Amino acid sequence: MKETICTIPINDLFLPKNGCPFCSMEKMLEEQYVDFVTGDAMMEPNIRIETNKKGFCHRHFSQMFQSGQKLPNALILESHLQQLIDEKMPKKTKGKPDKKKLDEIKAALDSCYVCDRIEWDMHHLTATVFAEWIKGEEFRTLYNEQPYICLKHYDFVMQAAAAKGGIPSKYLADFHDETARLCKNYLQELKDDITTFCSMFDYRRQGRQWGKEKDAIERSIEFLTGEAP
Ligand SMILES: [Zn+2]
Ligand SMILES: [Zn+2]
């Protein structure tokens, strides 16, 4: 099992009550791993082997480029590019393409070391959320008081809760009830805000003051994609 670099207690992710707590979790992991890859991980040969093999997606390459130093970025690329030359390119370019090698390139283009670590940690931390929730009242209240759970994480959390090793069946219905409510109520609120937003363009509403529907588009995009535009 891979060791997580995450040290933040679960409570700290739920206490601010600012948007979807699982989005905060993912964002925190993303920041930590992007820093880690161009920082401490440079000294760890095992991680270099993995980053050479997996590479990074556009999002994470860009974040590493923006927040990391130039030299670590170049060193990571040097060995990753060399690995592609050695393992993914055809030895001879004459003749028919090697379908197997092309599939390997496709797989390499779809893989990302940071995405994989985030996914593994999200499962790991979500299991801790389940354990805290089962333990009882205090954390359940905090969980209930979240502003919402976004669509992506409603799906993620419920899939994990219903899977083997998730939430024990005697608690599952209650957990689903609370989690679904946090997603559904906000979805309805967004829909109502968007409807109000649209109606503001009606000439009969001319001169009316904008209310909380003002940023309904931005909030909807954040709810649907996990990220504000
Ligand atoms: Zn979320
Ligand atoms: Zn990625």
Side-chain angles (χ1 to χ4, degrees):
M1 203 179 263
K2 290 180 201 164
E3 211 175 287
T4 177
I5 61 160
C6 165
T7 50
I8 192 165
I10 290 296
N11 264 325
D12 289 4
L13 291 165
F14 283 75
L15 277 171
K17 298 176 192 169
N18 178 23
C20 167
F22 294 96
C23 282
S24 309
M25 187 186 278
E26 204 168 315
K27 190 159 175 275
M28 174 213 58
L29 290 170
E30 185 169 60
E31 282 166 7
Q32 288 192 359
Y33 277 114
V34 166
D35 283 353
F36 174 68
V37 162
T38 52
D40 293 347
M42 295 299 295
M43 300 299 173
E44 300 203 29
N46 287 342
I47 292 173
R48 291 297 300 279
I49 290 169
E50 265 198 84
T51 59
N52 287 341
K53 200 171 80 192
K54 288 186 176 170
F56 301 91
C57 65
H58 180 264
R59 176 186 177 86
H60 293 131
F61 259 138
S62 302
Q63 289 178 356
M64 287 156 58
F65 179 63
Q66 274 151 19
S67 71
Q69 304 260 336
K70 291 257 163 67
L71 180 60
N73 271 290
L75 289 169
I76 287 167
L77 281 167
E78 186 188 28
S79 46
H80 178 54
L81 296 175
Q82 186 62 53
Q83 183 140 353
L84 291 173
I85 293 167
D86 295 342
E87 294 181 7
K88 304 289 181 262
M89 283 291 119
K91 297 285 173 266
K92 292 183 207 136
T93 49
K94 277 184 186 162
K96 281 185 191 163
D98 183 337
K99 176 83 170 62
K100 196 168 151 259
K101 283 260 185 284
L102 291 175
D103 287 345
E104 281 178 26
I105 291 173
K106 189 163 171 21
L109 288 170
D110 287 340
S111 78
C112 170
Y113 174 79
V114 172
C115 282
D116 284 359
R117 292 297 302 255
I118 292 172
E119 199 194 332
W120 190 86
D121 273 26
M122 282 298 287
H123 277 102
H124 178 81
L125 291 177
T126 302
T128 315
V129 171
F130 294 162
E132 289 295 315
W133 189 90
I134 289 163
K135 245 192 249 165
E137 228 29 65
E138 208 176 318
F139 184 76
R140 274 191 207 194
T141 309
L142 185 59
Y143 189 87
N144 273 335
E145 289 169 357
Q146 296 306 306
Y148 66 88
I149 288 175
C150 77
L151 195 60
K152 170 180 156 185
H153 289 124
Y154 167 64
D155 179 65
F156 173 81
V157 168
M158 286 319 307
Q159 299 266 13
K164 203 166 157 259
I167 298 254
S169 56
K170 67 170 176 171
Y171 299 110
L172 189 58
D174 281 348
F175 183 77
H176 178 241
D177 188 37
E178 289 180 18
T179 308
R181 182 186 56 78
L182 285 168
C183 182
K184 196 176 157 190
N185 289 359
Y186 191 66
L187 174 57
Q188 185 63 55
E189 189 185 324
L190 280 173
K191 159 62 187 47
D192 295 344
D193 286 348
I194 286 287
T195 300
T196 313
F197 188 101
C198 296
S199 73
M200 292 297 282
F201 292 83
D202 188 324
Y203 71 94
R204 283 163 295 189
R205 290 224 169 192
Q206 241 172 21
R208 264 192 61 150
Q209 287 288 312
W210 284 85
K212 75 178 182 53
E213 70 283 357
K214 200 176 163 210
D215 62 351
I217 295 176
E218 290 91 327
R219 285 186 289 115
S220 297
I221 292 172
E222 189 171 4
F223 174 81
L224 292 168
T225 67
E227 202 159 22

